[in-house]
Amino acid sequence: MVEIRREPFGAFDGQPVTNYHLSNRHGLRVEILTYGGVIRAVWAPDRAGTLANVALGFGDLAGYRRNNSPFFGCITGRYANRLAGGRFTLDGETWQLARNVGDNHLHGGLRGFDKYVWDADEVHDGDFAGVRLTRTSPDGEEGYPGALRTSVTYRLDEENRLAIDYRAETDRPTILNLTNHAYWNLAGEGSGSIEDHVLWLAASRYTPVDAEQIPTGDLAAVAGTPFDFTTPMAIGARIRQDDPQLLMSRGYDHNFVFDREAGDASLIEGVRLHHPSSGRTLTVSTTEPGVQVYTGNFLDGSFAGSSGRAYRQGDAIALETQHFPDSPHHPDFPTTVLRPGEVFQSTTVFALSS
């Protein structure tokens, strides 16, 4: 039976922050903060049963509150990833959002969903237990129209699966793209490069970007390029190739398009990440149409993680299941529009094995 315990984790704006510990009988343990919905740690056994924390994070709340914090483990929204010019047009009206990465909008703006304390309730079922986080983003927050009522539920089961269920409703037409920004290193956080990890993606296309990391609008084939992970490949095998997309991004920082029918929102297995030395494998299933693969290209050693070790370039990989970046500017991309009376629902499942 999955157990839940709680401990205080400081306070923000006068609100106490709680760290929820979810653990099952196999030893898998997940820590979830009410601040930003952060996945602070995931303790997983290797093939010998030895536990290691495979998710990057900080030892205290101060790390997450830094202005230049790299979104370790948090809920990103209202709109995850980038929006060109920090603006979008909906129903003939243009909305100007906060610009927090050059002239563009990233991960919800200056104060996105990652920088709030969420309300929390424990959830229990025969097969799982977890925590449901809820928050209402008021009309106009960071420039977005509509009051957005959002819940994000983390649930752990006895099969070593951590599921994240997203749900949202609005009172005005708006746009929405929610994900979690966990950084993974299956050898253990702070242990060094993930270039020896082997990655498989059910994605024969990706969305190339310009110099500002904004999608060009193309859905390019991965075949014959360093972006082809349709056959399992070590991350480091081609990451240093002289490819314009890799050079601009200093590695992988691209949205991959899952091979699924348009409009299909069923749960599919889209990602497998394997670490040969430890035997750990992370399998990601999702209802989302894409995944942003980011190889920690801008980690520069200025952040010390929960183990006290510095995080450097390439020390982790983020697998952000999502709708596509900058979708409002690309009519051929899956829509991110949410209207009153509609319910946004999405599920991503991280399964760990060894």
Side-chain angles (χ1 to χ4, degrees):
M1 179 178 179
V2 176
E3 297 181 348
I4 303 177
R5 69 178 180 88
R6 296 177 289 175
E7 64 178 2
F9 200 78
F12 177 74
D13 280 354
Q15 297 176 277
V17 175
T18 301
N19 187 11
Y20 282 84
H21 293 247
L22 316 177
S23 57
N24 67 16
R25 58 187 172 85
H26 300 293
L28 189 71
R29 188 170 79 250
V30 180
E31 298 182 32
I32 307 292
L33 300 181
T34 55
Y35 179 80
V38 165
I39 297 176
R40 179 177 174 265
V42 178
W43 294 87
D46 65 8
R47 63 166 60 92
T50 302
L51 289 175
N53 175 18
V54 297
L56 274 61
F58 292 114
D60 56 28
L61 188 60
Y64 296 101
R65 293 180 56 179
R66 291 173 60 169
N67 289 334
N68 62 338
S69 179
F71 301 99
F72 286 147
C74 67
I75 300 168
T76 51
R78 289 188 191 189
Y79 200 99
N81 220 305
R82 288 169 171 80
L83 286 168
R87 69 175 68 90
F88 68 95
T89 300
L90 179 60
D91 298 336
E93 187 171 359
T94 298
W95 299 88
Q96 182 63 59
L97 309 177
R99 295 171 177 166
N100 61 319
V101 55
D103 288 331
N104 305 310
H105 181 86
L106 175 68
H107 292 332
L110 297 171
R111 189 179 181 188
F113 282 6
D114 59 301
K115 296 179 177 65
Y116 287 90
V117 179
W118 293 55
D119 295 328
D121 296 289
E122 294 183 13
V123 293
H124 296 269
D125 188 271
D127 297 324
F128 67 83
V131 56
R132 178 177 294 114
L133 304 178
T134 56
R135 179 177 183 268
T136 296
S137 172
D139 184 24
E141 184 173 86
E142 295 296 305
Y144 289 95
L148 188 76
R149 298 174 297 280
T150 306
S151 71
V152 180
T153 303
Y154 297 88
R155 48 187 174 90
L156 178 67
D157 67 14
E158 292 292 357
E159 303 301 320
N160 285 0
R161 295 177 297 199
L162 173 66
I164 310 177
D165 301 314
Y166 305 87
R167 179 184 173 91
E169 297 176 272
T170 183
D171 62 2
R172 294 179 66 183
T174 192
I175 60 171
L176 177 68
N177 191 22
L178 298 175
T179 191
N180 180 278
H181 208 296
Y183 288 67
W184 304 93
N185 185 321
L186 298 184
E189 62 84 26
S191 64
S193 173
I194 45 83
E195 291 192 11
D196 62 344
H197 287 43
V198 176
L199 179 66
W200 170 83
L201 299 172
S204 57
R205 296 176 297 169
Y206 79 108
T207 53
V209 295
D210 63 19
E212 294 186 339
Q213 295 295 110
I214 302 296
T216 63
D218 295 333
L219 299 178
V222 301
T225 78
F227 295 85
D228 189 353
F229 290 95
T230 56
T231 299
M233 180 68 61
I235 293 170
R238 297 168 301 194
I239 199 170
R240 304 302 171 202
Q241 286 189 9
D242 185 15
D243 179 275
Q245 289 289 310
L246 292 176
L247 292 173
M248 282 192 299
S249 304
R250 300 175 63 178
Y252 295 104
D253 190 5
H254 295 78
N255 171 69
F256 288 78
V257 180
F258 288 130
D259 296 329
R260 62 195 309 164
E261 295 295 326
D264 176 15
S266 61
L267 192 69
I268 66 161
E269 182 178 311
V271 183
R272 281 198 304 272
L273 182 69
H274 177 66
H275 181 237
S277 296
S278 68
R280 294 187 184 94
T281 297
L282 175 69
T283 302
V284 185
S285 302
T286 187
T287 60
E288 287 294 300
V291 60
Q292 185 82 8
V293 175
Y294 172 56
T295 49
N297 310 328
F298 293 93
L299 299 177
D300 60 4
S302 61
F303 300 106
S306 53
S307 63
R309 302 186 187 100
Y311 297 145
R312 302 186 185 279
Q313 184 181 26
D315 279 359
I317 182 171
L319 302 165
E320 305 158 58
T321 55
Q322 60 173 8
H323 276 56
F324 303 168
D326 201 39
S327 288
H329 298 127
H330 304 283
D332 292 338
F333 287 5
T335 183
T336 54
V337 174
L338 181 67
R339 298 185 180 278
E342 299 176 345
V343 179
F344 171 84
Q345 295 186 91
S346 175
T347 295
T348 293
V349 180
F350 297 100
L352 284 147
S353 60
S354 58

